[in-house]
Amino acid sequence: MAAESPPKSVARPDWPSTHPNDRIVFLIDTSSRLELRLIKEWIAGHRPQSTTGTAHASKLEGNQELSGGESASARSGHAHATFETIALPPSRRGRERRRTKLDPGLEEALAIHGDPLMVPLRVIWRAPLRNGERTVNLRGLLTGGDPRDPNWFRQAWVLRSDPDRCMIVAGEPALASNLRERWVAACGPNSAETIGFAEFVSQKATLALERAERHVRGARYKVPRIVREEILGRPSFRGGLALIVEELRSEGPGGVSVARLASEAAGYLKEIAATHSPLIIDLVTQLIRWMYTRGYDEKLIYDETAMKSIAELEERHPVVFLPTHKSNLDHLVLQYALHAHGLPPNHTAGGINMNFFPLGPLVRRSGVFFIRRTFRDNRVYKHVLAHYIDYLIEKRFPLEWYIEGGRSRSGKLLPPRFGLLANVVDSYRRGKSEDVYLVPVSIAYDQIQDLGSYVAEQRGGVKEKEGLSWLVGFIRGLKRRYGQIHIAFGEPLSLRQQLGDPSQPDNAQSPTQFDLEKVAFEVSVRINRVTPITPTSLVTLALLGTSGQALTVGETRLSLANLLEVVRLRGLPTTDDFDHLETDQGIEFTLNALVENGVLTRFDEGLATVYGIGNGQQLAAAYYRNTIVHFFVGSAITELATLHAIDGPRDQFLPRFWTEVMSLRDLLKFEFFFPEKEIFRSEIRAEMELVYRNWEKRIESFELDPEEMIRRAKPYFSHRILRPFLESYRVAGDQLTTIDADATFDEKRFLSDCLGLGRQYELQKRIHGADSISKILFQSALKLAANRGLLESGGAEIANARHAFAEELRDAVRRVDIIVALAAGRRAGFKS
């Protein structure tokens, strides 16, 4: 509405439409006498003109605060039209909110015969107008507090100096009869034992006002308000606790009761749930910007169209963001980007280890909920967490967690975790929403601030424990420049499309492990598909393929040329600055940025400046390479399978080739996300077709010579992509052959021994470099060995199987060495 001079300039809603009973109950939410006066003036000024004054009406027009059940009524021009006002517990000004109880007048009004129309009213205060937008800044928050929750003195000042910032909003009206029906439906037949009708009406009025206020402020402040009451009061929640009581009593005697478990559950919910505060959301958003811009460019790089599509999706369905986890900045920069586009903060799962002062209280109030690392045997805790997820899905609050669980120390996407995904799928199966969309998110960095600690952990170091000193160190570590941050959104994944309609009998059962794996795998594939190739990642890929040789800028350009051609030919995703690698100036800029952070060294005391990987920095360079290796794994496997097939009868080339492709796929299945076998075959076939049309038929007809194919291949990939993985596996395989097949397997000692053997092999030049000595890769090799049953006790049979495993890995490494020779321009024999 148009603004006028105060107090009439306060934006106001229309008078509610009358209904058959012509009785209106205004439920007013105020935090000061000034707000109460504004609402009284609105009622006095907007009631029908023919209203006849009464004693109650005179009270309404005064300054007396409505509390303790006092009401005001007046007659409208309709013979039987009446209205009254009842105070709700204030939603703002925390001190008043904590000490105010429900007005007994509400219960009286609901008990009176009739069916009144319940109309919630609230005064809201908006942020100042800056550059056409109502926004807050860090200085204003720290000096003046939250402009949306001013104290009485600031309210009066705002009303006089900037009255457009004050508005009266009305929540959606509802008849008392309709609210009673909803109360019974929500709380079950024993509704009164759970929550009184008056309290239920008060809660719904508050929620209606939140929606009305959100319509003014925008979606970025869509946050839950009465989580505790909504969850703990549900019949399904109480029924679940009763079942747990029965289970515990059947397992043995004890003093367990529903009341006791309800109290325990309330404590767990308080421990878990986020407690949003618009003030803290704004404050944290400003702090995020201050923090990440210390080390990175201010502008976050992402697709604006994709962001708008996600915003539209959030209006219709619950959305779950599943980002990669490369840095402790991941959640923060995603939250900042969403906030900048007017989207609400995600309810983000955080490990309980991050709930330390001051970080924990801040991020909890900006959307993070904390869960314990382990709670498998705690049935009450699991029950509370499941119902919390149910509530968020049902109310369409966006969720977020890392699909990998923890940060990737190698740069490569980790295998997905299924815990919270199982909760969300369960909620969908039980009809909490018609559909749920999973949004894959890739967050890529030109360089990573956390890289030093990742390298230390790969070498066997211990992860630093999170705490205040850790936080201070993390912020101090952002004093260097690390380039840009790139956020890419994959195609959203519909659970309805993946798992079917849960209302259908065939789809109604609980999700199986296969269901979860299928969904998580598809999310991971979509993340990899949109992860951009950065100049840093391609330069390190090129340098790690030189076997330690330093290169000039010109030599680096030549090394990159074939890689750039492949990227263009296949249409792979790249960052906006990727074309910098087309010029010497751009390549030099990328190299110097890596020198600045110690990944590369620069020597300029000779005839030409040369760049090489710094001493002990192979794992650091490999981190950036590993962020994009998934794009080239198929090509690398093709090279090694071709060499294997050549080492056999010519007429058996194709059967041997495809058998080896699948063998390598199985060998590396704990490292990469391979599609189903037939799809993988199609992808390999399509890649080969880009270079050699009709290659299979031409090989069968002896028109195309496989040896010439492998000699003329440009660029070679297996030494750049697979060598560190296969060499690490070889170290693990060799170490496994030294262990008594009848002895109990000791994983901790095995990994330590692998680190030692890897260093020995490096000194002996039996492996090419330090990026093949990685605790993380040894752990993957151990998973493969366990999958093949090689960690079991079994005497000679197991011992022979372990030796065969080690030989399989040595043979794969031998073929990589052939590729190294070919890449260096040397002649290499293909026959073993």
Side-chain angles (χ1 to χ4, degrees):
M1 305 180 99
E4 299 175 358
S5 59
K8 293 182 180 180
S9 58
V10 177
R12 307 163 186 267
D14 295 326
W15 185 267
S17 301
T18 58
H19 67 294
N21 293 327
D22 291 325
R23 179 172 164 229
I24 299 174
V25 176
F26 290 107
L27 304 175
I28 60 173
D29 175 6
T30 61
S31 63
S32 69
R33 291 176 179 270
L34 175 59
E35 291 186 354
L36 180 63
R37 191 195 82 200
L38 292 173
I39 287 183
K40 288 177 178 180
E41 290 173 350
W42 174 84
I43 293 175
H46 284 71
R47 65 190 181 192
Q49 295 297 318
S50 55
T51 299
T52 57
T54 67
H56 292 298
S58 65
K59 284 186 181 179
L60 179 66
E61 293 165 2
N63 287 327
Q64 182 173 345
E65 187 171 356
L66 294 174
S67 62
E70 292 185 53
S71 64
S73 62
R75 301 234 175 237
S76 73
H78 300 279
H80 301 289
T82 64
F83 65 84
E84 58 187 301
T85 61
I86 297 174
L88 293 172
S91 58
R92 299 197 326 277
R93 311 305 306 165
R95 192 173 299 171
E96 289 87 344
R97 183 172 66 247
R98 284 192 294 270
R99 72 186 181 199
T100 305
K101 296 182 180 180
L102 189 65
D103 189 333
L106 178 57
E107 193 168 346
E108 294 175 12
L110 293 169
I112 296 174
H113 180 71
D115 190 14
L117 184 70
M118 317 301 289
V119 183
L121 293 174
R122 173 187 290 174
V123 176
I124 67 170
W125 304 86
R126 298 189 288 175
L129 196 63
R130 294 187 177 92
N131 299 321
E133 288 189 66
R134 295 198 177 274
T135 58
V136 297
N137 56 32
L138 185 59
R139 176 181 294 180
L141 289 171
L142 295 177
T143 57
D146 189 354
R148 291 152 305 205
D149 188 15
N151 59 29
W152 68 269
F153 180 80
R154 291 181 62 217
Q155 288 176 359
W157 180 82
V158 168
L159 196 61
R160 178 173 296 277
S161 62
D162 192 2
D164 282 348
R165 288 177 54 189
C166 181
M167 291 184 67
I168 295 174
V169 296
E172 184 178 358
L175 291 171
S177 58
N178 177 264
L179 289 167
R180 190 176 296 276
E181 290 173 3
R182 291 163 60 188
W183 173 53
V184 173
C187 302
N190 300 319
S191 306
E193 297 178 7
T194 306
I195 177 175
F197 182 40
E199 185 178 354
F200 178 83
V201 171
S202 175
Q203 290 181 9
K204 294 307 174 186
T206 300
L207 292 175
L209 287 169
E210 291 297 324
R211 287 190 291 269
E213 185 171 343
R214 193 186 311 142
H215 184 73
V216 175
R217 299 195 192 280
R220 63 161 54 109
Y221 300 108
K222 177 187 175 182
V223 296
R225 290 296 187 190
I226 49 176
V227 178
R228 183 181 182 278
E229 295 84 350
E230 288 256 340
I231 294 178
L232 298 181
R234 293 186 171 191
S236 58
F237 184 83
R238 300 192 318 278
L241 290 180
L243 288 176
I244 295 174
V245 169
E246 290 180 12
E247 292 171 3
L248 292 174
R249 287 175 177 172
S250 67
E251 293 170 5
V256 65
S257 66
V258 173
R260 176 181 161 189
L261 289 192
S263 176
E264 184 180 341
Y268 288 147
L269 183 59
K270 183 178 180 181
E271 175 187 313
I272 293 171
T275 53
H276 295 75
S277 159
L279 169 63
I280 300 301
I281 289 171
D282 284 332
L283 179 61
V284 166
T285 301
Q286 298 294 326
L287 289 173
I288 289 172
R289 180 182 176 278
W290 169 80
M291 185 183 296
Y292 84 78
T293 55
R294 284 170 56 87
Y296 293 91
D297 292 357
E298 180 177 357
K299 183 180 179 182
L300 301 175
I301 311 300
Y302 50 83
D303 185 349
E304 300 275 351
T305 303
M307 187 72 82
K308 291 177 182 176
S309 298
I310 291 170
E312 293 172 359
L313 197 61
E314 281 195 14
E315 292 178 1
R316 305 189 305 272
H317 302 284
V319 169
V320 178
F321 291 82
L322 297 172
T324 53
H325 199 9
K326 298 291 191 295
S327 164
N328 283 304
L329 287 174
D330 293 331
H331 163 67
L332 302 180
V333 295
L334 179 58
Q335 178 175 338
Y336 185 85
L338 295 173
H339 186 87
H341 276 74
L343 293 174
N346 296 333
H347 285 70
T348 304
I352 199 72
N353 58 307
M354 301 297 288
N355 189 20
F356 60 85
F357 182 83
L359 184 65
L362 271 178
V363 298
R364 185 189 290 275
R365 287 168 174 78
S366 66
V368 173
F369 65 94
F370 293 103
I371 55 177
R372 299 179 180 183
R373 292 290 187 183
T374 57
F375 49 86
R376 180 172 299 176
D377 298 325
N378 191 331
R379 281 174 277 198
V380 178
Y381 188 93
K382 287 194 290 187
H383 182 67
V384 172
L385 179 60
H387 277 265
Y388 183 61
I389 300 298
D390 279 356
Y391 172 81
L392 297 177
I393 293 295
E394 183 180 316
K395 301 298 183 182
R396 296 208 312 269
F397 289 112
L399 282 121
E400 175 192 333
W401 69 84
Y402 299 118
I403 187 71
E404 303 165 272
R407 282 176 292 160
S408 170
R409 268 66 174 178
S410 66
K412 185 171 55 64
L413 189 64
L414 298 177
R417 300 289 182 89
F418 306 119
L420 282 175
L421 181 61
N423 285 116
V424 169
V425 172
D426 252 340
S427 294
Y428 167 69
R429 292 282 199 193
R430 287 183 277 106
K432 299 301 178 183
S433 177
E434 290 185 357
D435 201 356
V436 179
Y437 278 85
L438 310 181
V439 178
V441 185
S442 170
I443 303 177
Y445 301 79
D446 284 349
Q447 294 193 61
I448 290 282
Q449 180 259 349
D450 319 65
L451 195 55
S453 64
Y454 294 172
V455 170
E457 288 179 48
Q458 288 197 72
R459 290 174 176 160
V462 179
K463 175 178 176 287
E464 183 182 0
K465 185 177 180 181
E466 290 83 358
L468 182 58
S469 61
W470 167 85
L471 178 62
V472 171
F474 175 76
I475 295 174
R476 285 179 175 172
L478 289 168
K479 60 186 176 183
R480 294 179 175 176
R481 301 309 300 171
Y482 296 98
Q484 294 180 325
I485 302 175
H486 313 268
I487 304 174
F489 299 101
E491 181 186 356
L493 186 73
S494 161
L495 287 187
R496 192 179 186 87
Q497 292 179 5
Q498 286 286 309
L499 304 176
D501 182 353
S503 64
Q504 299 299 318
D506 292 343
N507 300 322
Q509 69 274 16
S510 297
T512 64
Q513 185 68 16
F514 176 74
D515 290 330
L516 294 175
E517 289 176 1
K518 183 174 72 169
V519 170
F521 176 85
E522 183 60 29
V523 169
S524 299
V525 167
R526 295 187 187 195
I527 287 174
N528 273 339
R529 194 176 293 155
V530 298
T531 297
I533 299 174
T534 65
T536 299
S537 60
L538 205 68
V539 164
T540 52
L541 174 64
L543 290 175
L544 284 165
T546 64
S547 299
Q549 177 186 349
L551 303 177
T552 63
V553 170
E555 290 168 339
T556 304
R557 174 167 39 79
L558 292 175
S559 182
L560 286 169
N562 288 326
L563 294 173
L564 290 170
E565 185 178 351
V566 170
V567 170
R568 284 193 296 266
L569 184 64
R570 292 176 54 190
L572 300 178
T574 59
T575 56
D576 293 343
D577 60 349
F578 190 74
D579 58 356
H580 290 181
L581 296 182
E582 303 281 357
T583 66
D584 284 357
Q585 292 83 359
I587 293 171
E588 186 175 10
F589 177 85
T590 303
L591 292 170
N592 284 329
L594 287 164
V595 169
E596 182 180 343
N597 289 307
V599 178
L600 300 184
T601 58
R602 180 180 59 222
F603 183 80
D604 51 12
E605 297 179 13
L607 295 176
T609 300
V610 294
Y611 297 84
I613 297 172
N615 291 331
Q617 291 301 313
Q618 288 88 350
L619 282 173
Y623 180 94
Y624 298 118
R625 173 201 62 196
N626 289 347
T627 62
I628 62 168
V629 290
H630 57 277
F631 288 121
F632 309 109
V633 168
S635 299
I637 286 177
T638 299
E639 292 171 5
L640 299 187
T642 300
L643 289 177
H644 172 82
I646 288 172
D647 194 12
R650 178 69 174 77
D651 60 351
Q652 292 297 308
F653 175 85
L654 287 176
R656 287 173 59 82
F657 171 83
W658 286 117
T659 299
E660 183 62 10
V661 164
M662 293 305 161
S663 295
L664 289 168
R665 176 183 179 277
D666 182 76
L667 191 70
L668 297 164
K669 64 186 177 184
F670 289 102
E671 295 293 349
F672 304 104
F673 295 96
F674 293 113
E676 295 179 4
K677 291 182 179 180
E678 286 308 311
I679 297 176
F680 184 60
R681 286 174 66 101
S682 298
E683 291 180 353
I684 294 292
R685 185 175 284 116
E687 279 194 36
M688 292 284 281
E689 285 288 334
L690 289 174
V691 183
Y692 298 103
R693 295 287 184 182
N694 300 317
W695 61 278
E696 287 180 282
K697 289 183 179 179
R698 293 167 64 191
I699 287 174
E700 280 184 330
S701 64
F702 289 82
E703 178 187 343
L704 190 60
D705 183 1
E707 288 195 21
E708 281 305 307
M709 286 171 57
I710 196 69
R711 289 189 191 280
R712 293 168 57 187
K714 297 292 180 181
Y716 293 106
F717 282 104
S718 56
H719 65 305
R720 291 180 166 119
I721 303 300
L722 295 183
R723 180 162 60 174
F725 299 97
L726 294 174
E727 287 186 344
S728 290
Y729 279 34
R730 177 200 172 180
V731 170
D734 288 351
Q735 185 62 41
L736 194 59
T737 62
T738 68
I739 299 175
D740 186 350
D742 291 319
T744 302
F745 187 80
D746 184 340
E747 179 177 342
K748 186 175 180 180
R749 179 178 177 182
F750 175 81
L751 293 173
S752 177
D753 290 343
C754 283
L755 288 168
L757 183 61
R759 294 188 185 104
Q760 174 196 320
Y761 280 7
E762 182 189 14
L763 292 171
Q764 294 177 305
K765 304 301 180 184
R766 296 173 69 178
I767 59 176
H768 85 287
D771 57 326
S772 297
I773 310 170
S774 165
K775 182 180 178 181
I776 293 172
L777 295 182
F778 295 147
Q779 288 172 329
S780 296
L782 200 55
K783 289 179 183 177
L784 178 63
N787 179 256
R788 296 189 176 188
L790 301 180
L791 304 186
E792 301 172 2
S793 299
E797 183 179 353
I798 290 295
N800 291 335
R802 290 176 178 177
H803 280 281
F805 178 60
E807 184 55 37
E808 177 186 359
L809 292 165
R810 293 189 201 107
D811 179 61
V813 171
R814 179 189 66 80
R815 280 177 272 153
V816 172
D817 290 339
I818 293 174
I819 295 296
V820 172
L822 290 171
R826 303 193 302 269
R827 296 290 296 180
F830 296 145
K831 304 289 184 179
S832 59

